[in-house]
Amino acid sequence: MPSRSGTRSSGDSFQQNNNLERRPNSRRGLRGMDRIYELAQPKESKCIWLTSFGPNMVWGNQEPMWPIPPGALKSAATPRLESLSEPKRNLIGGLNRPAFVYSCGRESVILKVSPFAKQASATGRVDYLSNHKRPPTEFKEDRREHTFSCGRQSPIWNVTDPARKAAERERIESLARPKTPHREFLPAREVAFPVRLVSLEYRDQKFGSNQEIETKVSKAAMSSSATPRLEHLARPKSRPDGPFREPMWPVSKSARVATATPRQIELAKAKSVSDGYLPARTIEWPVSKAARKSVATPRTDELSRPIIRATMDHVQFNPDAFIVSEAAKKARCSARIEELSQPLQR
């Protein structure tokens, strides 16, 4: 039980710690009703006597944090408290129907229409708003064929009698003629292929029922002989078997005495790096004596010291821990800080 005086004795602390030690692990060996009883116990406080403040509270009871004085129990409420305790009036006037509530706040037509609303006549403004939008006078409606053909013009429309009786012009006749091939155009030669690959209807229509599809070779082509040039071109390319050269071969005297030209020397140079190029430093390099004997300045020592901040166990007892000083409140930022604080203009 919590103490009314707001303090905790050592006996209560020892008894609570003893109960925690005797309490079995709720996740091991407890099942069924024992587990339910274990979960039904009120939540225990995790604070210890060193960091706890205020009265000793136990979760799960109806006791107040501070004891209520007898004067507060016998006092009468003021008119202001009575006015604040009154519930808020429903200004909707009965329009908060279930159909509106259960439709995620959207209006619904599921409501009873009064007989007066059924017999009422619309005003002039309502009649004007109920009229559909009319197209402008210059609007020309598309043809039905144009609409159902994905916006493309279609020749499916009624042709007028004057258009049917109109005389043809030379330009229209020239445009109506199909495109003819070039005068020197030669069609593809017929190539022999099995008759079974061609449909019977195509064979009978093109060549006849008893004619085979094959290329006709003339007698002169069958009795001709190839020229020496054709025979030379018809030979396959001969490639001798390797190795084509011995691993060691003699070098001529002229090749040993020859000197390279300036152009060859220039081309033989390796590609150099650009001016000012510094190669990557090695992973380990020697430290100079001056660096080893140097002494840090007082400013460097000051910057190298770590920032020591008080822990929250001590800060929570300091009432002035988060108070802003008067000098910080009256300080003004420099022109550079004000310039950097401006938003980026895009």
Side-chain angles (χ1 to χ4, degrees), residues 224-235:
S224 62
S225 58
T227 60
R229 177 60 178 168
L230 290 177
E231 292 181 356
H232 177 70
L233 294 175
R235 294 174 184 173

Side-chain angles (χ1 to χ4, degrees), residues 54-269:
N56 184 17
M57 300 300 301
V58 177
W59 293 83
N61 55 12
Q62 300 295 330
E63 298 180 0
M65 294 180 61
W66 309 99
I68 302 175
L73 296 174
K74 297 178 182 179
S75 62
T78 59
R80 177 59 178 168
L81 290 177
E82 291 180 356
S83 63
L84 292 176
S85 62
E86 293 179 358
K88 187 177 179 181
R89 290 189 305 166
N90 187 7
L91 302 178
I92 300 178
L95 294 179
N96 191 10
R97 53 186 182 274
F100 183 84
V101 176
Y102 297 117
S103 59
C104 302
R106 298 173 294 176
E107 296 183 357
S108 176
V109 296
I110 308 174
L111 68 156
K112 296 180 180 180
V113 182
S114 62
F116 301 99
K118 296 179 181 179
Q119 298 175 2
S121 59
T123 60
R125 177 61 177 170
V126 175
D127 291 337
Y128 175 75
L129 294 175
S130 63
N131 294 330
H132 61 84
K133 186 177 180 180
R134 298 179 181 178
T137 56
E138 297 83 3
F139 174 74
K140 294 182 179 180
E141 187 177 1
D142 295 332
R143 297 189 300 269
R144 183 182 63 181
E145 292 79 9
H146 182 274
T147 305
F148 294 113
S149 60
C150 302
R152 297 174 295 177
Q153 295 183 357
S154 176
I156 307 175
W157 65 80
N158 297 327
V159 183
T160 59
D161 294 335
R164 296 177 182 177
K165 299 177 182 179
E168 298 179 357
R169 295 179 297 176
E170 296 181 0
R171 177 60 178 167
I172 296 177
E173 292 181 357
S174 62
L175 293 175
R177 294 171 187 169
K179 185 177 180 181
T180 57
H182 194 266
R183 59 179 177 272
E184 297 180 0
F185 172 75
L186 296 176
R189 297 181 61 184
E190 297 178 357
V191 182
F193 53 89
V195 182
R196 63 178 178 274
L197 298 179
V198 184
S199 61
L200 299 177
E201 298 178 357
Y202 178 78
R203 185 195 65 181
D204 298 342
Q205 182 180 1
K206 188 70 177 177
F207 306 101
S209 58
N210 298 326
Q211 186 176 0
E212 295 182 357
I213 305 173
E214 60 182 7
T215 302
K216 296 180 180 179
V217 183
S218 60
K219 295 181 179 180
M222 289 187 290
S223 59
S224 62
S225 58
T227 60
R229 177 60 178 168
L230 290 177
E231 292 181 356
H232 177 70
L233 294 175
R235 294 174 184 173
K237 188 175 181 179
S238 59
R239 294 182 176 85
D241 299 334
F244 304 100
R245 189 173 61 180
E246 296 294 334
M248 300 178 63
W249 63 91
V251 182
S252 61
K253 293 182 179 181
S254 58
R256 286 180 284 180
V257 182
T259 57
T261 60
R263 178 60 178 168
Q264 292 176 347
I265 296 174
E266 181 181 359
L267 294 176
K269 292 180 180 179

